[in-house]
Each structure stands twice: as C-alpha cells, then as structure tokens.
Amino acid sequence: MYVLPDLPYSEDALAPFVSADTLRTHHGKHHKTYVDKTNELAAKAGLADRPLEDVVRQASRTGDKTLFNNAAQAWNHAFFWRSMRAPGGPQPNGELTRAIAESFDGLEGLKEAFVKEGVGHFASGWVWIVMTSDGLQVISTHDADDTLVREGLFPLLVCDLWEHAYYLDYKNDRKAFLERWFDNVANWDFAAAQLSASTGEGEGFRYPASE
Ligand code: FE
C-alpha cells in the first residue's frame, strides 16, 4: 500500500501564501484520492509491491493512462510538499546559487522564467525547475505528466498549476500565486539537495516506502 505522506510542516505553516484551508483540502482530499486510486489500480496491475517511481514508468511504457495519471499525481504532490517550506527560510546558496547565476543570471532571472512558464502554461499541470546537461531549465508538464518519464532531467522544485492549488487563495490570479510562491515558500534547501543528487552526491527524492 502506498502511503499518503504527512505534510513536512503544519497546515498553517505556509500562510498567508498558501492558506491552511488550501493545504488541508489539497493534501487531505486531492492527494489522498490519487494515492487511494493508485493503490487500487496498482494492485490490479500486479505492481503494488514496486516503488511508486517504477509504477509511474511502467504505466507510461504500457500506456495504462489511468494508472499513470493517478500514480504520477501521487508522486508529483509528494514532491510538491517538499518543494515548499515556511516563509522566511534560507535563500539559495553555494552550488545552487552558482547554477542559477550561470543559467539565469541570478534569482530574479530564474523567477521571471518560472512565472512566465507557469502563467503561459495552458490549463492544468506543473511548472518545474530541472537540472539538465545544459544547466538549469524551467519547464512545464501537462496534467499528471512528470519528470520521471523524461530522459536527462533531474527535478529540483515543482509548483502545482492546477486551480485547486491556488483558487481558494488567489482566485484566477495564477501569476500572483507563482510570484508569491517563488518569493516566500520555495524550498531552496530541498532544491540544493536535489542538485547535489543530480551529480551523484546523496540520494534524490523518492516517494516514501510502501506499508
Ligand atoms: Fe494538486
């Protein structure tokens, strides 16, 4: 059984940038539903004993769209919770700062690219900061699609572009959500750990082990 991972902070920790109301519904209802569905469908597909990463890749290979959508959404949301931390936390430093400077000329440049990609993304999906062989890039994926099934990408951070991520707090103003998210709750320590893992230092994020 895949578990619904606990939030790595309290429900009100990200307010006012992400409200407790949003977080409670997003984690307790939306994410939980994806995990429940994955448990049901992975069992039927005979994959329930495999790490969630394998399930996502296997469902993509075999074209099992329903399993892929639910398993990838379960994974993406777990990665998204880790991509945030309470306001006032550390800014990028060290190797991450160097990578940002090299590819985006600094944090403002990265923010501009991130907000532009997220605002320009049509309908639901995810906006990612990823490491590639050409340095850092900002990309977006549609619906449940994620970086696990793309070659040559290592995800550092993700933000949810589905309306359920921001509608209660920002109504239809996705731009304001992305700007405030980037400035206040983006988890740069997590991004730095992922960046190290992309070069083989330490373990990258993995979905919590099944029960
Ligand atoms: Fe979501």
Side-chain angles (χ1 to χ4, degrees):
M1 294 286 281
Y2 302 98
V3 295
L4 175 68
D6 289 338
L7 290 172
Y9 28 70
S10 63
E11 279 177 349
D12 59 358
L14 309 179
F17 307 106
V18 180
S19 68
D21 222 15
T22 291
L23 215 45
R24 188 177 309 119
T25 309
H26 200 172
H27 176 256
K29 304 269 188 221
H30 291 277
H31 193 187
K32 182 176 187 303
T33 302
Y34 293 128
V35 174
D36 289 348
K37 271 272 175 202
T38 300
N39 278 319
E40 182 190 318
L41 297 167
K44 277 189 196 151
L47 295 169
D49 57 338
R50 305 267 291 277
L52 187 63
E53 287 80 4
D54 290 0
V55 176
V56 172
R57 293 189 177 109
Q58 180 71 9
S60 172
R61 270 195 296 273
T62 60
D64 187 340
K65 199 74 186 141
T66 313
L67 176 58
F68 176 81
N69 283 340
N70 284 283
Q73 283 295 78
W75 195 91
N76 290 348
H77 281 91
F79 194 87
F80 176 54
W81 309 135
R82 296 290 304 280
S83 294
M84 299 184 282
R85 49 101 175 111
Q91 290 296 296
N93 57 46
E95 206 49 57
L96 180 59
T97 301
R98 275 190 286 280
I100 293 171
E102 206 162 284
S103 300
F104 292 97
D105 216 18
L107 198 57
E108 269 309 302
L110 175 59
K111 177 181 173 183
E112 203 178 296
F114 183 84
V115 172
K116 188 173 171 210
E117 181 71 28
V119 168
H121 181 92
F122 186 75
S124 297
W126 301 84
V127 57
W128 306 80
I129 300 171
V130 298
M131 191 60 181
T132 73
S133 55
D134 292 327
L136 291 185
Q137 286 181 15
V138 172
I139 65 162
S140 56
T141 57
H142 279 282
D143 300 325
D145 198 11
D146 68 25
T147 51
L148 287 173
V149 292
R150 292 172 182 231
E151 293 295 322
L153 297 183
F154 203 93
L156 305 193
L157 284 185
V158 75
C159 185
D160 192 334
L161 298 175
W162 290 59
E163 279 185 349
H164 63 230
Y166 60 88
Y167 209 83
L168 288 176
D169 301 331
Y170 297 88
K171 296 293 184 277
N172 61 336
D173 195 349
R174 185 188 283 180
K175 183 165 190 267
F177 167 58
L178 289 170
E179 287 175 341
R180 298 187 87 197
W181 189 93
F182 188 98
D183 286 340
N184 297 285
V185 298
N187 188 347
W188 300 111
D189 279 353
F190 179 67
Q194 286 293 106
L195 181 63
S196 296
S198 77
T199 62
E201 284 173 57
E203 278 253 8
F205 171 83
R206 293 181 70 88
Y207 197 85
S210 311
E211 275 176 348

